[in-house]
Amino acid sequence: MILSATTVPEAVRDFAREVARDLALTPKQIQSKYLYDALGSSLFESICRLPWYRITRAESRLLARSANEMVAPVEDPVTLLELGCGSGEKVALLAEALRTRRRRVAIHLIDISATALELSERTLGALEHVSVVGHRATYEDGLRRAARERPAKGGLLVLFLGSNIGNFDPPASQEFLAEIRGTLRPGDALLLGADLVKPVGELMLAYDDPLGVTAAFNKNVLVRINRELAANFDLKAFEHRAVWNPLERRVEMHLVSVRPQTVSIPRAGIEVAFDDGESIWTESSYKYEPAEIMELVSEAGFRSHAQWVEPDARFALTLFVVE
Ligand code: AVJ
């Protein structure tokens, strides 16, 4: 079952409004959530299979190895809530660990991508002891809805995996973690996956891969604007660029204009002029140190319970509880 937060025309109107607002900023921006239409979501799934993008496999290894310990502090009947579900394979590993408790597990999936929800529901449909509700919504709306629908008894384990938190700048992540905390009760928990700082060469291969899949993923947001907002972006006139910003400790993705040009976006009611070399900033992926993750989340009112670090790809899963 997939519940949709907004009707399609309303979503397009929001998209148009935000694109007009963010392309008027300096530097020009497009919010990263718009990368995930149907094609963008499948390109992201492909990125996860690239040898140079190691986040997904590193996290799955940690989950496969320690899922039992990760669900142990949460009381039956357990509700799992995944923010940004992707393919559903990770939540399946945790649901699998709960099977031995012989209780039913309710799973809420929250994603803005219908493709991701459908894929996850298919993955989880194979498990007999789970019931799944998909919410096609932003994290905030989905959290609120799932919190309303949870049973009076038992613990809720929120999964915020894949380093999705890395898209938020530090103040926004602090605010969002506080919002998660606000919807939880004592006994609930948060499992957070965060990518760690690593050599720049490795980061560049992950975000500017030799096959060009990440470039396609990034440029696809222009394809989407052309389709949904009737724009005339020339795909050949923009280049994918990934840069490591050492001060902010984030990888930034940009779309760089290769010549001076003007693009019209009729449904957003704008014409946008680009200088030669001017870019649109489409995503940030912050990288962390293990101790920093503990601090960030503790400040939002959680108590850290355990941390698992994958030493090769450098990725951390940290479990927090609500007291
Ligand atoms: C899904 C946001 C975690 O930042 O690593 C992958 C998205 N962007 N390659 C990330 C992404 C470029 C990914 N997150």
Side-chain angles (χ1 to χ4, degrees), residues 36 44 47 53 55 162-164 167 206-207 214 217 253 283-285 287:
Y36 300 91
F44 177 65
I47 288 173
Y53 189 83
I55 288 181
S163 210
N164 284 336
N167 280 171
Y207 288 87
T214 309
F217 171 67
M253 286 207 314
E283 186 182 57
S284 295
S285 298
K287 304 300 170 188

Side-chain angles (χ1 to χ4, degrees), residues 107-229:
I107 302 182
H108 290 264
L109 303 170
I110 296 161
D111 209 295
I112 42 169
S113 155
T115 314
L117 289 168
E118 281 157 19
L119 198 59
S120 299
E121 295 197 348
R122 214 174 310 143
T123 308
L124 296 166
L127 301 173
E128 272 170 25
H129 65 301
V130 309
S131 56
V132 183
V133 184
H135 302 272
R136 186 172 181 196
T138 59
Y139 292 153
E140 290 82 359
D141 288 344
L143 252 180
R144 271 192 292 273
R145 277 203 265 160
R148 259 201 318 271
E149 291 169 22
R150 68 181 291 192
K153 276 197 187 144
L156 177 66
L157 174 59
V158 175
L159 311 172
F160 196 25
L161 303 177
S163 210
N164 284 336
I165 192 170
N167 280 171
F168 293 114
D169 64 19
S173 57
Q174 197 53 251
E175 200 178 302
F176 183 57
L177 289 165
E179 197 164 323
I180 297 177
R181 175 64 188 80
T183 62
L184 299 184
R185 307 194 293 237
D188 291 345
L190 167 68
L191 184 63
L192 180 72
D195 199 22
L196 304 176
V197 176
K198 64 198 89 224
V200 185
E202 285 177 38
L203 289 170
M204 286 304 102
L205 280 169
Y207 288 87
D208 192 5
D209 66 88
L211 271 179
V213 183
T214 309
F217 171 67
N218 196 10
K219 285 186 195 171
N220 175 57
V221 79
L222 302 181
V223 178
R224 179 178 186 174
I225 295 174
N226 283 351
R227 184 182 64 241
E228 293 187 17
L229 305 181

